[in-house]
Amino acid sequence: MSGTRSDAPVLEVKNLSITYATDEGPEVRAVTDVSFTLRRGEILGLAGESGCGKSTLAYALTRLLSPLATVTQGEVLFHRAGGSAPVDVLALSPEQLREFRWSELAIVFQSAMNALNPVMTLGAQIEDTLRAHRPAMGKTERSARAVALLRQVGIAADRLAAYPHELSGGMRQRASIAIALALEPAVVIMDEPTTALDVVVQREILSEILRLRDALGFSVMFITHDLSLLLELADRVAIMYAGRIIERGPSRALYARPRHPYSHGLIHAFPALRGPRRRALGIPGSPPDLRDAPPGCAFHPRCPLAFAACRELVPPLRAADGAPGVEVACHLYDPALSPGEPDTATIAAAYEAAAERSAS
């Protein structure tokens, strides 16, 4: 694979919805009508609070959902290089899926300690992957490939004989990335791969991901609750709330002006490293119970700018005026419902006022 990036799609998700069955009560609508396109060689970030549907979406794309989960609608289309017909991932048979997964699309799980087999050495786990998916490879070739993969992610070859508990958290995460890259997939999904790591190791892992992406040309879907991290790493960012994408666009545009009040709250929940000191404001309240989501916009109970339409109508994603590639699902940007679009200062002032009311 080359490191060339292009606007050509490698993965398309169209109107995907996923529910979970429960023993009692209504089903959980974990993902609702999600659509996006991942381009060749790009990093697409997916952010949102815990429970918003990020990991469910990742497991749906890799066909790793639990038996309680059901894809109720939508398509997942994988585009191979060369212009052949796209692969319908959700329609693959078990044998086809075995050939597809890891070879075309791989995943790096959130907890590297749990993802790695604790009773197998690192080298044995890499070689096991190669043996299962590349049976024509001889032992010498597999060993050489294992060494090359570890060196690729910055791990010395002598660690092939180590067990997962003998590795640091950062090395375990690098090893998980090495296994994901073993079969040279076109897409790697990373589900919160730096959550349990300290900030120094996080920085090292992120730099490694960028270096490998540039060298090998694979696409990345990077999932995290840390929006400040995504704004540094990703080419484009999508924000999820209550199972829906509520804003997406180029990371620079999102940083310069987050349009949805939820996106604004996520970005400004982190203190700035530079500039004048400002009051850190969290988003009031908690995410909704997806078994009984609020009517209209699911964020309206927590939104400082909510008005009548927000409590009744689900806002569709719409293109933002004057911002190419940016889309937002918010009635504040619908000229038929709202008298005018709020700027960043207006959203910030509304959060300030809500915090003052809560404190009084």
Side-chain angles (χ1 to χ4, degrees):
M1 274 188 284
S2 70
T4 304
R5 282 180 253 175
S6 75
D7 289 333
V10 63
L11 189 69
E12 282 186 285
V13 177
K14 299 182 179 181
N15 308 115
L16 190 67
S17 294
I18 303 162
T19 62
Y20 283 93
T22 58
D23 293 334
E24 298 178 1
E27 62 190 10
V28 176
R29 293 175 291 176
V31 173
T32 303
D33 202 25
V34 165
S35 299
F36 64 86
T37 299
L38 178 64
R39 299 165 185 160
R40 292 200 176 276
E42 83 164 341
I43 298 178
L44 173 66
L46 188 65
E49 292 171 282
S50 296
C52 73
K54 306 185 302 295
S55 292
T56 294
L57 179 59
Y59 294 156
L61 302 184
T62 51
R63 296 275 303 274
L64 292 170
L65 285 171
S66 79
L68 294 176
T70 302
V71 176
T72 56
Q73 71 168 30
E75 292 181 292
V76 178
L77 303 177
F78 179 84
H79 296 263
R80 292 190 172 102
S84 58
V87 176
D88 184 348
V89 177
L90 300 181
L92 292 175
S93 68
E95 186 58 35
Q96 290 171 326
L97 181 61
R98 185 176 180 277
E99 292 295 325
F100 174 82
R101 195 189 286 144
W102 304 111
S103 297
E104 307 276 17
L105 187 151
I107 185 168
V108 177
F109 295 100
Q110 182 171 347
S111 174
M113 190 62 196
N114 295 334
L116 297 172
N117 190 323
V119 297
M120 291 178 66
T121 65
L122 187 52
Q125 293 187 58
I126 296 174
E127 289 196 38
D128 191 49
T129 302
L130 296 171
R131 189 182 299 108
H133 293 271
R134 298 288 186 270
M137 261 191 182
K139 180 171 177 52
T140 302
E141 196 176 357
R142 287 197 304 268
S143 297
R145 178 66 175 150
V147 169
L149 283 166
L150 286 195
R151 287 177 175 165
Q152 211 168 50
V153 298
I155 299 178
D158 61 8
R159 306 308 288 170
L160 282 170
Y163 289 89
H165 72 272
E166 297 176 311
L167 305 174
S168 67
M171 289 179 74
R172 286 196 294 265
Q173 200 57 268
R174 289 169 184 261
S176 293
I177 293 171
I179 292 172
L181 297 177
L183 305 178
E184 300 184 309
V187 175
V188 178
I189 296 174
M190 298 189 173
D191 184 17
E192 306 218 34
T194 61
T195 297
L197 306 177
D198 63 59
V199 292
V200 174
V201 178
Q202 277 190 13
R203 174 67 58 182
E204 293 174 354
I205 295 295
L206 296 181
S207 297
E208 205 66 53
I209 291 169
L210 286 170
R211 184 185 66 79
L212 290 168
R213 187 278 305 264
D214 291 341
L216 302 176
F218 56 85
S219 303
V220 179
M221 183 175 167
F222 195 99
I223 298 170
T224 181
H225 61 274
D226 188 344
L227 183 53
S228 63
L229 180 151
L230 272 191
L231 293 172
E232 271 190 78
L233 177 73
D235 301 302
R236 291 186 300 134
V237 172
I239 311 295
M240 282 191 78
Y241 186 79
R244 295 180 182 270
I245 291 179
I246 52 90
E247 185 168 0
R248 64 185 173 202
S251 56
R252 290 185 180 181
L254 190 66
Y255 176 73
R257 185 189 170 187
R259 283 166 168 77
H260 199 287
Y262 179 66
S263 304
H264 182 281
L266 280 184
I267 289 177
H268 291 88
F270 297 90
L273 295 177
R274 300 181 181 86
R277 187 169 63 176
R278 58 176 171 79
R279 181 182 180 184
L281 296 173
I283 301 172
S286 302
D289 184 342
L290 294 181
R291 292 172 296 183
D292 186 24
C297 174
F299 187 61
H300 84 255
R302 307 173 69 190
C303 182
L305 290 169
F307 58 104
C310 304
R311 291 181 273 276
E312 299 170 2
L313 305 172
V314 177
L317 273 172
R318 64 177 68 249
D321 291 339
V326 175
E327 296 173 288
V328 59
C330 181
H331 293 313
L332 292 168
Y333 302 89
D334 185 345
L337 297 173
S338 176
E341 296 185 1
D343 56 18
T344 300
T346 301
I347 299 175
Y351 270 113
E352 287 275 3
E356 292 293 340
R357 288 193 300 271
S358 178
S360 62

